[in-house]
């Protein structure tokens, strides 16, 4: 079965960077896009971007352009999301979510357990 | 401020039917499929409805989705206490070239 296991909680100071990992198993890693979505405390979900594990192509939400970098390691079936120049508003739960596709229409379907990133001085 | 608009809360009594609305625009709901996710406190979202009205295996037929124009709805019939959770809608947005979500609706079973 599809499993996405994320790295543990992180605490960073403002201005620092954080790198969150998401290790996939239970399917062919290179086949499906992976999203990153975050949720600030008490707020709704916010899409950050997407990466294709096969070629590494990425597409980022405009809000995060220049601050986010998504990468992957096919040897370990792991995708990474690095967010730089952190500020207090970046305190949130960060999720990876794997696409599922039906007849060429794809959508976030399987979710990791989430990684809490706290930005505090 | 979320791109898709949902009521912050909804409620119903056991056995009742409740609906949760999701309002968008021509660039998202108006031209793309709508998806619904359920999230219990402290856990990750889980897909509930895909492609407007389709249920993944394991989701009971008490849950149904619909879409009309730039709005969508999630209906839950035969309400149960275990349905108490946050429900969130999502769609691809052609103008933003990204996924957009609603702010979520907290469902309370009275």
């Amino acid at each position: 079965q599809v499993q996405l296991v994320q790295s543990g909680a992180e605490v960073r100071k403002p201005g620092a960077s954080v790198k969150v990992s998401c290790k996939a198993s239970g399917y062919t890693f290179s086949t499906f896009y992976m999203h990153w979505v975050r949720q600030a405390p008490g707020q709704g979900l916010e899409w950050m971007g997407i990466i294709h594990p096969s070629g590494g192509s990425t597409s980022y939400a405009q809000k995060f352009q220049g601050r986010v970098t998504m990468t992957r390691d096919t040897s370990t079936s792991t995708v990474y999301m690095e967010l730089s120049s952190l500020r207090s508003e970046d305190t949130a739960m960060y999720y990876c979510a794997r696409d599922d596709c039906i007849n060429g229409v794809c959508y976030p379907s399987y979710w990791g357990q989430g990684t809490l990133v706290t930005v505090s001085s | 401020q979320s791109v898709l608009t949902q009521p912050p809360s909804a409620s119903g009594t056991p056995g009742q039917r409740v609906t949760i609305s999701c309002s968008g625009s021509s660039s998202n709901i108006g031209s793309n499929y709508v998806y619904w996710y359920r999230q219990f406190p402290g856990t990750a979202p889980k897909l509930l409805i895909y492609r407007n009205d389709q249920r993944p295996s394991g989701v009971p037929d008490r849950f149904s989705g619909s879409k009309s124009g730039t709005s969508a709805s999630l209906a839950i019939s035969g309400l149960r206490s275990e349905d108490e959770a946050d429900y969130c809608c999502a769609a691809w947005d052609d103008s933003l070239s990204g996924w957009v979500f609603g702010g979520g609706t907290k469902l309370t079973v009275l």
Side-chain angles (χ1 to χ4, degrees), chain A residues 22-102:
Chain A
C22 170
K23 183 173 176 58
S25 62
Y27 69 99
T28 303
F29 176 69
S30 59
T31 304
F32 296 96
Y33 280 89
M34 194 78 79
H35 305 257
W36 286 94
V37 179
R38 76 177 187 179
Q39 186 172 35
Q43 303 299 310
L45 299 169
E46 183 175 32
W47 186 78
M48 300 180 70
I50 194 170
I51 181 169
H52 198 289
S54 177
S57 61
T58 56
S59 177
Y60 303 137
Q62 188 171 10
K63 175 177 178 176
F64 300 101
Q65 292 270 3
R67 271 211 312 146
V68 69
T69 304
M70 297 177 188
T71 56
R72 93 288 186 220
D73 182 343
T74 55
S75 68
T76 59
S77 299
T78 303
V79 295
Y80 300 90
M81 187 283 300
E82 183 169 21
L83 190 62
S84 62
S85 302
L86 289 169
R87 35 213 189 227
S88 59
E89 310 88 89
D90 294 318
T91 293
M93 187 71 80
Y94 289 77
Y95 295 101
C96 60
R98 199 211 82 175
D99 257 356
D100 205 358
C101 300
I102 295 180

Side-chain angles (χ1 to χ4, degrees), chain B residues 24-92:
Chain B
S25 68
S26 57
S27 63
N28 42 65
I29 293 178
S31 52
N32 295 291
Y33 291 112
V34 177
Y35 301 81
W36 289 91
Y37 298 90
R38 178 174 64 183
Q39 188 176 24
F40 294 109
T43 69
K46 183 177 179 182
L47 184 68
L48 200 62
I49 297 286
Y50 67 96
R51 296 182 68 170
N52 299 336
D53 57 9
Q54 301 299 301
R55 287 185 306 275
S57 60
V59 174
D61 58 8
R62 299 188 299 109
F63 295 88
S64 62
S66 64
K67 180 185 118 169
S68 178
T70 58
S71 293
S73 292
L74 172 71
I76 309 171
S77 60
L79 201 61
R80 300 180 178 182
S81 58
E82 56 261 37
D83 296 332
E84 200 163 275
D86 288 324
Y87 294 83
C88 176
C89 56
W92 175 262

Side-chain angles (χ1 to χ4, degrees), chain A residues 9-13 86 88 90-92 94 116-120:
Chain A
E10 303 273 11
V11 179
R12 293 288 185 272
K13 293 190 184 302
L86 289 169
S88 59
D90 294 318
T91 293
Y94 289 77
L116 180 62
V117 174
T118 302
V119 183
S120 174

